Amino acid sequence: MSQSTSQADAPVANIGVVGLAVMGSNLARNLASREGNTVAVYNRSYGRTETLMAEHPEAGFVAAETIDEFVASLTTPRTAIIMVQAGAGTDAVIAQLTERFEPGDIIVDGGNANFHDTIAREKAVSETGIHFVGTGISGGEEGALLGPSIMPGGSAEAYETLGPILESIAAVVDGTPCVTHIGTDGAGHFVKTIHNGIEYADMQLIAEAFDLLRNATGLSPAEIADVFAEWNTGELESYLIEITAEVLRQVDAKTGRPFVDVVLDQAGSKGTGVWTVQTALGLGVPVSGIAEAVFARALSSKPAQRQAAAGLPGPATGWEVTDQTAFIEDVRRALYASKIVAYSQGFDTIIAGANEYGWDIKKGDVATIWRGGCIIRAAFLNRITEAYAENPDLVALVAAPYFADAVAGAQESWRRVVAGAAQAGIPTPGFSSSLAYYDGLRAERLPAALVQAQRDFFGAHTYKRVDRDGTFHTLWSGDRTEVEQD
Ligand code: 6PG
């Protein structure tokens, strides 16, 4: 039975949730459904708390009307998970809890916070002796309720108390809960951000595959749903492919048209994709596939520009596919190869971020906890775990034996798809940029030599030579002799 509490009541809840919008409510219900948990719940407006209590008496929630009641209902060390909108709302709740908590208590931020904010918050809160744990939680509403993938940062000491609670609510794959202590302070939110960047790329690539199939074959969305369902039985098996088939099968009740055709073609975003790209740019990591996915959403959301460009000329003819089965297989392979590039770029960013911020992030463990619960869960994450188990210092996922073979097997299809799309005027920024990245990485020699020479010409930025050690500058505006620098 649910109960409400007052300050006079003895503390009974081993965990509390602040913020009872759908993610917070579902996480609280998930916590309450696990053996041994008693969950305190608090929301700024009590009406939402009352609704949750009324709808889920089985959860045995301890409802608090005020933040004081909430804190009083928690057993020590007090542990509270904040599930409010990232930003000012989070700061306000942190301030309320910090005022009332004691050293050793734990404040968890389960929202999609910017990891730089998490680093700063952890620093400020930990000065009071209270633990602050920024935690990535992935899986949407259903994941929060039934088992998300959880990416906690913060101190190892806080994880000792928090870990078992999070392990009890996480998704489980092959007996392993999809949660691991990612690293200190902002490491959890950092990895969640990169997860989302990969999510953006994966979604964009799937959307491009759909667009190609539709434009080049004339198959209906429902028929393409069957193609995706078939793909979901092989190496592309993943949550995003699965839900794509479901979305494409959906018929709009009002018009009888395919649902995908009545949705406005302008994709929104809440910022984590942008953060991934900003972070990677700062770290010097080429996340071209992820960046193109962010740009594609931005381009889609510019109706005035799109309208102004709508009459610009394109190719005279579209793609005339003669062998539909072979074409579909080409698109499948191009999708798989591009997806490998997106994950490879994401893991590169994790490696660079770990170096920059001093986090000991185990890449194989990250892949392991992404196998279940989260939006990018996919069968091939097992292959990523294996690749890092085999070689923890792997410098490029795309070059690991399994992935190198996969891409080698796909590359001819990939080239046909990208070339054909360009000929037919079908935009494939994800496929194309991933292929260019692959070709750039494997190139024996890049035109970067010319760029470096240009830099030296106009800015005396110097260059190195292929045949001698040292740093050089050519006197471009003088007699063009080469001068070795000190
Ligand atoms: C998840 C999702 C979730 C949300 C993102 C993406 O892992 O459960 O990533 O966090 O869907 O915020 O949102 P946008 O596409 O709106 O940026």
Side-chain angles (χ1 to χ4, degrees):
M1 275 299 287
S2 302
Q3 50 190 303
S4 38
T5 186
S6 75
Q7 274 178 279
D9 289 330
V12 289
N14 64 314
I15 181 93
V17 176
V18 180
L20 301 176
V22 64
M23 286 295 286
S25 297
N26 283 1
L27 198 77
R29 286 172 59 201
N30 184 352
L31 283 160
S33 72
R34 312 293 166 157
E35 188 77 35
N37 285 338
T38 302
V39 185
V41 287
Y42 170 71
N43 194 70
R44 200 158 50 129
S45 68
Y46 190 56
R48 204 183 270 260
T49 314
E50 288 180 311
T51 307
L52 180 67
M53 300 286 284
E55 286 176 355
H56 296 286
E58 79 289 349
F61 289 130
V62 179
E65 201 166 345
T66 66
I67 193 79
D68 288 314
E69 285 178 14
F70 175 75
V71 172
S73 71
L74 295 170
T75 55
T76 55
R78 298 176 188 85
T79 305
I81 305 181
I82 304 173
M83 296 295 292
V84 304
Q85 206 152 29
T90 306
D91 279 323
V93 179
I94 293 170
Q96 287 181 313
L97 292 177
T98 310
E99 268 171 39
R100 292 163 177 84
F101 273 19
E102 291 169 339
D105 292 347
I106 304 168
I107 299 173
V108 183
D109 175 13
N112 269 335
N114 185 307
F115 74 92
H116 293 291
D117 292 344
T118 304
I119 292 173
R121 288 170 179 149
E122 201 272 345
K123 191 165 183 294
V125 173
S126 65
E127 274 165 18
T128 67
I130 298 166
H131 298 288
F132 181 80
V133 179
T135 297
I137 300 180
S138 177
E141 297 172 16
E142 195 183 280
L145 182 61
L146 301 176
S149 173
I150 310 178
M151 294 148 255
S155 69
E157 199 188 332
Y159 193 74
E160 270 176 37
T161 304
L162 192 60
I165 299 172
L166 298 182
E167 280 160 25
S168 77
I169 61 166
V172 177
V173 176
D174 297 339
T176 305
C178 294
V179 55
T180 189
H181 182 220
I182 301 284
T184 54
D185 55 52
H189 276 143
F190 167 73
V191 165
K192 174 60 167 60
T193 298
I194 308 307
H195 164 283
N196 282 26
I198 296 172
E199 173 186 303
Y200 274 55
D202 214 339
M203 293 167 74
Q204 172 64 23
L205 294 169
I206 290 171
E208 288 177 20
F210 163 71
D211 204 29
L212 283 162
L213 293 178
R214 192 156 195 202
N215 275 301
T217 65
L219 288 173
S220 70
E223 288 166 326
I224 298 172
D226 292 339
V227 173
F228 277 97
E230 168 66 24
W231 287 356
N232 201 38
T233 62
E235 60 195 359
L236 277 172
E237 181 191 341
S238 62
Y239 172 73
L240 284 170
I241 294 280
E242 181 193 327
I243 66 163
T244 300
E246 284 197 41
V247 169
L248 292 178
R249 239 189 278 285
Q250 179 78 5
V251 174
D252 176 51
K254 286 199 185 66
T255 59
R257 294 172 60 197
F259 172 74
V260 73
D261 287 346
V262 300
V263 177
L264 191 67
D265 61 346
Q266 296 177 18
S269 65
K270 294 201 202 76
T272 45
V274 172
W275 292 346
T276 301
V277 178
Q278 283 173 336
T279 301
L281 285 175
L283 294 167
V285 183
V287 288
S288 46
I290 298 173
E292 287 296 350
V294 176
F295 295 151
R297 290 195 194 186
L299 185 148
S300 78
S301 303
K302 296 271 179 280
Q305 290 182 5
R306 289 176 61 188
Q307 206 183 349
L312 297 179
T317 55
W319 198 331
E320 278 156 31
V321 168
T322 46
D323 183 341
Q324 187 165 296
T325 309
F327 172 74
I328 291 173
E329 179 57 9
D330 273 353
V331 174
R332 188 191 70 77
R333 290 183 184 186
L335 175 56
Y336 192 49
S338 303
K339 183 176 162 122
I340 290 170
V341 165
Y343 279 70
S344 192
Q345 294 180 346
F347 275 90
D348 280 352
T349 315
I350 291 177
I351 292 167
N355 286 339
E356 175 75 14
Y357 296 99
W359 295 317
D360 179 22
I361 299 178
K362 307 272 187 302
K363 280 83 68 185
D365 291 357
V366 171
T368 299
I369 67 160
W370 284 352
R371 291 180 310 161
C374 68
I375 303 296
I376 63 169
R377 61 186 182 259
F380 96 137
L381 281 157
N382 274 319
R383 306 284 88 77
I384 299 183
T385 304
E386 284 162 14
Y388 282 113
E390 223 165 86
N391 179 5
D393 301 320
L394 193 62
V395 290
L397 194 57
V398 73
Y402 171 84
F403 295 107
D405 282 355
V407 175
Q411 59 123 3
E412 282 180 22
S413 296
W414 204 4
R415 295 184 195 287
R416 274 194 294 273
V417 168
V418 169
Q423 292 279 1
I426 302 169
T428 54
F431 280 19
S432 311
S433 71
S434 305
L435 179 58
Y437 171 87
Y438 170 74
D439 282 334
L441 263 195
R442 62 173 203 87
E444 207 171 307
R445 192 153 164 80
L446 289 167
L450 178 56
V451 172
Q452 193 60 14
Q454 290 165 334
R455 293 180 71 235
D456 189 60
F457 187 103
F458 63 69
H461 293 294
T462 73
Y463 53 90
K464 296 199 183 293
R465 296 181 57 98
V466 295
D467 53 358
R468 279 169 61 199
D469 286 340
T471 302
F472 303 90
H473 168 56
T474 290
L475 302 173
W476 294 103
S477 50
D479 62 2
R480 304 208 164 180
T481 54
E482 183 175 80
V483 182
E484 184 159 6
Q485 309 294 292
D486 297 330

